[in-house]
Amino acid sequence: MAPPAQSHRSSSPSQPSGKGEVSDLKSQLRQLAGSRAPGVDDSKRDLFKKVISYMTIGIDVSAVFGEMVMCSATSDIVLKKMCYLYVGNYAKVNPDLALLTINFLQRDCKDADPMIRGLALRSLCSLRVANLVEYLVGPLGSGLKDNSSYVRIVAVMGVLKLYHISASTCVDADFPQTLKHLMLNDSDTQVVANCLTALQEIWSAEASTSEEASREREALLSKPVVFYFLNRIREFSEWAQCLVLDLAAKYVPSDNNEIFDIMNLLEDRLQHANGAVVLATIKLFLQLTLSMADVHQQVYERIKAPLLTLVSSGSPEQSYAVLSHLHLLVMRAPYIFSSDYKHFYCQYNEPSYVKKLKLEMLTAVANESNTYEIVTELCEYAANVDIPIARESIRAVGKIALQQYDVNAIVDRLLQFLEMEKDYVTAEALVLVKDLLRKYPQWSQDCIAVVGNISSKNVQEPKAKAALIWMLGEYSQEMHDAPYILESLIENWDEEHSAEVRLHLLTAVMKCFFKRPPETQKALGAALAAGLADFHQDVHDRALFYYRVLQHNVSVAERVVNPPKQAVSVFADTQSSEIKDRIFDEFNSLSVVYQKPSYMFTDKEHRGPFEFSDELGNLSIGAESAVGTVVPAHRVEANDKDLLLSTSEKEEIKGPSNNGSAYSAPSYDGSAVSAASQALSELTILNPSVPGLTPQSSLAIDDLLGLGLPEIPSPAAAPSPPLLKLNSKAILDPGTFQQKWRQLPISLSQEYSVSPQGVAALTTSEALLRHMQGHSIHCIASGGQSPNFKFFFFAQKAEELSTFLVECIINTSSAKAQIKIKADDQSASQEFSALFQSALSKFGVP
Amino acid sequence: MLQCIFLLSDSGEVMLEKQLTGHRVDRSICDWFWEQAISQGDSFKLQPVIASPTHYLFQVVREGITFLACTQVEMPPLMAIEFLCRVADVLSDYLGGLNEDVIKDNFVIVYELLDEMIDNGFPLTTEPNILREMIAQPNIVSKVLSVVTGNSSNVSETLPGATASCVPWRTSEPKYANNEVYVDLVEEMDATINRDGALVKCEIYGEVQVNSHLSGLPDLTLSFANPSILDDVRFHPCVRFRPWESHQILSFVPPDGQFKLMSYRVKKLKSTPIYVKPQLTSDAGTCRVNVMVGIRNDPGKTIDSITVQFKLPPCILSADLTSNHGTVNILTNKTCSWSIGRIPKDKAPSMSGTFVLETGLERLHVFPTFQVSFRIMGVALSGLQIDKLDLKNLPNRPYKGFRALTRAGEFEVRS
């Protein structure tokens, strides 16, 4: 069905070209067009079917557009449906021909049968040809007033479609207000639900430009509206219920009673057959009770059973989506699920991504009472056929050992792994034993006895080898033949390909030397010599450092290399708690599945590649003019592995000359096959995987070599004309501000001095507010009186919805301003700070 | 908000494409998807939610058909997956099964269905009953009719009354000469038995399936003798919440035809109806296998269709297995299947034989997991019992039928 690709498709040898057939169809259709013979509908139907099936397999049948339209004069509803389908598919690429269809669609919109009225209206709105919008307004207007709810349902969605084709037409016809009226008064719940969808989308899009729309958007979240929906929720279809629940999740209740009212209203939704409804309800409950710790706990208890049932009842795909959410909850509150640990046992048939999630949950819920059983279960997986899972389960055993106080049984198990004589099991177990010893040095005797029996020749994986070597160095006193094992490893220095292992080897042999000097001296000399000759920079440097430190003073060297160690009490978590909180705030979204907050993987919704390449273009220029700091970490990442959204826009810019495949994946294919579009080729050049080509890194290298460069102003220099453009009509409601303020980390905190004129002018807080507003920085709350003032400001980037939040405390007696900046896009906060400072410095200057 | 739905055949061919919004999704995304699927070896192993360079993809696989949905915006993943599952169910229901041919033959109907099920990327109606009124099923009767009468439209002329009624899952006024209602308890037993023969986990997932052919607007109440054993329940939208909360009674106006009234879970069962005891001992490059099967806990009805399946570990060169009852087959994908059927009265079925291990391997390190399946008609192993079913609002006494069935779900025995 994809017109832009069809030329490519049909030219490929495996597809029939279809040219002859198409012209055949064309003549046959033409014959039937005017005919009123009996049975003509049947032959038409066969022909239409053929056309649609060609379209489905990707053959371009747009040539018969005219004939299809001519044949559309029929009362047969299936024929009509096929015709609508065809027209909807080709209208966008044939806007002139689309005009032909308007007539018959408009006529059908007045048909006696509501079904035909609805279908025709839907097709009319799906043409999406900008110059035909004038024909939509009439039928939509009457569709919204139609007495059949089916037509109204279609018409409401039609308004949304119209809005996306031409926002001004939609607003000028006052459709949003009509929808609002319908939403609050229509008897059909599907109409109401569709109105809600449409209005949410329209008003959010309008809010940035129209005050009224933003008021309306907030009104959607007002108490009467939200409760109007919640009270009727049982009448809605299951999908519409998801919408309502989503709306309610954005509502901020005024007091606890309201929270309990909502929860009572919705409790039965937890038992709905549709998992999407259940999950949306859970999200709402969790969010409502965030501030009430004890109720929040009860909510966890309450939602446990429905979640576990969802996992076990649905298809594997459904279970996976639910499990990802369960995973998040288990990680937040493992103790609540600790008695249900058996639910997280892996089943043989499950795909490995499910098993992996389950293993993580088993690790999290392990506590004093269930550890033994969980570890027993995990040990069974170590003999699993699926090697990655076997590895994961050994790691899980290790993690449990590290988080428990009573580790007797677990250590025994780990040591058994070492005796299983399977190389990957040994490898994983070695790494774990190393970590374990760092936390529980008291177990060294038992462990070392077993580890000593492992021949280093059987250990090949770098991580495991490094662990073994670390233990050899650390416990060389207890391990009888440690110096000799190390010596033989050093003899094979050249065959050791991993730098990590070589680094460990250097350190281990040093440690060993301090403990057993006579036996190790020879090995140490050989190791240092080999290390100095090593081509790897780090290895070389470390060897050199050891050598010099030994030369300087041996006892100092011992203090450096082998100081008395304290047991590690907590290992660093891989994911910060802030990130976890953000994911939790985005419960019931893709973030949970990816285990990343959305800003890490969606840079901007519907970001077009066009816009994308533009920005990158700016960046390369900017690097020379002190805006190098603007390269946002996650934007590079987005470029690297994420989404170049909105293919439709991409199609538009490519123009007719390009007949290649519209779809290419630059980040997956480093060599970037398709240099078709300008946007993509630019991307490839700036692809961060080719470091030499990024403007920044080349800059850094040049600098190192001391080459003459265009001047780089230092960041401390006076604020240069800021490149960041702020939206002068930015809007943010206090609730969102508070939420964001809570979620975001402080990205910058600074102190400025305020000019004397500024201090003089700051008699009341309002004066500054007005001034800052002139610089597109808006105030959301302010307080205090001379000499201490406190302000909360916010600002939005002009072209995107990226917000900056500022807390600003000004002391007029010391003429100092302390600011804390939080930003959606942290990388731009430096720039914003400069802008803020320049705005502040102009305060009071006439 | 979904932007596009594709249906792919098991060879990766695009059978159908339904664009839902103005943001047209190019079908070359399917090529990308299929390459991923192939590189993973097996499309079933691909995660249900994937990020492609341009879109987020949701996929559901049924009978070799991949249902692929694309979106570019953040949305609840379960909503998308749940919807795709519904699409699959509805299509399978409409076309009497899912396969490549049946979809290609009926693509017009599939388009029509999708048109009613989703508009502008938001799901609308997925209730099979309502859909059936809008789009007629392509059954043999209607085909014959269309040939005889010449009226070939397979769409009903009127709009479904239910779209406007307050009971959205029910057709307005169905009429039956014989009023009848059937209630089935269908249970699946999931159990895991570990190496030492201990029952690690045993749980029942059950469904109450109802097939209702009742005239008018009947009101039903179904009660259980022992509802307290249920751990968690989920209901069809027709079930009223309050009566269940206060008295554990299911009160509802049923949809017409077959539907799932309720699903439930019963945890912590103490015993399984049959035992499977595998023994593996390896020595000097061979491994002796012996598997015994017998009745542990007689459910009082015949246990039927017993099979034991396992995958041979990759380090095995050859296997020689025989049994004293039933047949043993080793399939090409190294799966060994022993179908027993019923357990005979006079002897306990057993299967034995040897594996020859790879050269150089003394002992077997990787142990197979045995998957067991069985069926028991007439018993719900959870012990759940239906107490009574009352019907109100009916002109004449209907026929009521009750059945129960338990089968093995994920029943696995490790060795």
Side-chain angles (χ1 to χ4, degrees), chain A residues 485-500:
Chain A
I485 299 177
L486 287 172
E487 197 175 328
S488 71
L489 284 168
I490 290 164
E491 274 167 21
N492 296 324
W493 185 278
D494 292 335
E495 286 153 36
E496 188 50 66
H497 297 296
S498 155
E500 187 192 359

Side-chain angles (χ1 to χ4, degrees), chain A residues 516-527:
Chain A
R516 299 161 71 172
E519 291 159 285
T520 324
Q521 197 178 11
K522 189 172 145 239
L524 179 65

Side-chain angles (χ1 to χ4, degrees), chain A residues 1 309 349 377 590 663, chain B residues 17 28 56 74 232 371 414:
Chain A
M1 265 213 239
T309 310
N349 273 342
E377 177 77 10
L590 290 168
Y663 182 80
Chain B
E17 167 182 326
S28 45
Y56 305 108
E74 181 68 277
D232 185 50
Q371 291 172 287
R414 298 176 188 151

Side-chain angles (χ1 to χ4, degrees), chain B residues 318-335:
Chain B
S318 68
D320 176 30
L321 296 164
T322 52
S323 66
N324 68 350
H325 184 86
T327 52
V328 182
N329 282 313
I330 298 179
L331 309 173
T332 44
N333 60 354
K334 282 201 149 190
T335 307

Side-chain angles (χ1 to χ4, degrees), chain B residues 199-384:
Chain B
L199 192 60
V200 174
K201 174 182 159 187
C202 186
E203 189 176 283
I204 292 237
Y205 168 74
E207 290 179 357
V208 181
Q209 295 175 353
V210 178
N211 196 352
S212 132
H213 298 281
L214 300 169
S215 312
L217 208 65
D219 204 319
L220 277 60
T221 33
L222 179 70
S223 56
F224 298 107
N226 48 353
S228 58
I229 64 167
L230 302 176
D231 269 306
D232 185 50
V233 285
R234 291 212 286 151
F235 300 121
H236 188 273
C238 69
V239 175
R240 298 187 186 98
F241 181 58
R242 296 289 164 213
W244 176 264
E245 201 186 25
S246 48
H247 304 102
Q248 271 87 55
I249 289 171
L250 291 170
S251 156
F252 57 99
V253 176
D256 206 33
Q258 179 86 33
F259 68 101
K260 186 166 93 184
L261 178 66
M262 144 183 187
S263 62
Y264 57 87
R265 222 155 34 88
V266 179
K267 284 197 293 190
K268 291 186 182 145
L269 271 82
K270 294 282 178 293
S271 161
T272 56
I274 59 171
Y275 67 80
V276 175
K277 283 185 183 157
Q279 274 182 322
L280 287 94
T281 46
S282 40
D283 182 37
T286 58
C287 175
R288 293 187 46 75
V289 195
N290 181 34
V291 186
M292 302 220 297
V293 176
I295 293 180
R296 184 198 301 274
N297 205 335
D298 197 344
K301 299 268 163 132
T302 354
I303 308 177
D304 227 337
S305 328
I306 303 177
T307 55
V308 177
Q309 267 201 353
F310 65 99
K311 206 147 182 141
L312 297 174
C315 57
I316 286 176
L317 286 182
S318 68
D320 176 30
L321 296 164
T322 52
S323 66
N324 68 350
H325 184 86
T327 52
V328 182
N329 282 313
I330 298 179
L331 309 173
T332 44
N333 60 354
K334 282 201 149 190
T335 307
C336 173
S337 160
W338 174 28
S339 41
I340 300 169
R342 291 181 190 178
I343 293 178
K345 288 211 168 58
D346 47 342
K347 59 182 174 187
S350 79
M351 172 177 72
S352 56
T354 49
F355 296 152
V356 179
L357 306 183
E358 260 173 5
T359 40
L361 213 60
E362 278 287 295
R363 289 188 290 140
L364 195 63
H365 286 303
V366 192
F367 301 102
T369 301
F370 295 81
Q371 291 172 287
V372 184
S373 56
F374 58 80
R375 258 162 64 97
I376 312 170
M377 296 292 296
V379 176
L381 276 183
S382 67
L384 186 69

